[in-house]
Amino acid sequence: MATKSSITDIDAQIEKLRERRRSMIAKSAERFARAATKSGLAEMEITDEEIDRLVEEIAARFRKGEKKGTDGASGSPRRPAAGGTGAPAEVSRDS
């Protein structure tokens, strides 16, 4: 009988983790939607492929920063970009 309760416990944990995952995805989507709206990117006629490429470029830029500075310096470049200052400039050059 102990096996059934541990399976039940595991099932409950799995469901909690699934809900937490859904919540994290929703919060992330809201965060990116806010940034896109704030920067004007959401109103531009840009294909999904172009958006994917731009986001990949931004991610690559921040991954390089993480590799260079593991002493805490990698956190500071993230703040200015989160404000949307870098993305509109790249979009306007492509347009």
Side-chain angles (χ1 to χ4, degrees):
M1 186 137 174
T3 305
K4 285 189 178 183
S5 67
S6 66
I7 290 173
T8 304
D9 292 343
I10 291 171
D11 287 342
Q13 290 175 358
I14 289 170
E15 188 54 39
K16 285 180 184 178
L17 289 171
R18 284 183 178 146
E19 181 56 39
R20 183 175 172 200
R21 181 180 184 274
R22 282 189 290 267
S23 175
M24 290 177 73
I25 290 170
K27 287 179 182 179
S28 178
E30 290 172 6
R31 180 178 177 213
F32 281 93
R34 245 190 335 271
T37 301
K38 184 177 178 180
S39 68
L41 187 63
E43 296 178 13
M44 295 179 183
E45 292 187 28
I46 301 174
T47 66
D48 289 348
E49 291 80 17
E50 289 174 306
I51 291 173
D52 291 345
R53 184 183 53 80
L54 291 172
V55 172
E56 286 174 13
E57 288 175 10
I58 292 168
R61 186 176 84 201
F62 283 96
R63 282 186 198 113
K64 288 179 187 175
E66 288 175 354
K67 289 178 184 175
K68 288 180 185 176
T70 57
D71 60 349
S74 64
S76 59
R78 289 184 177 196
R79 286 293 145 208
T85 58
E90 291 194 26
V91 171
S92 64
R93 279 187 259 142
D94 292 341
S95 297

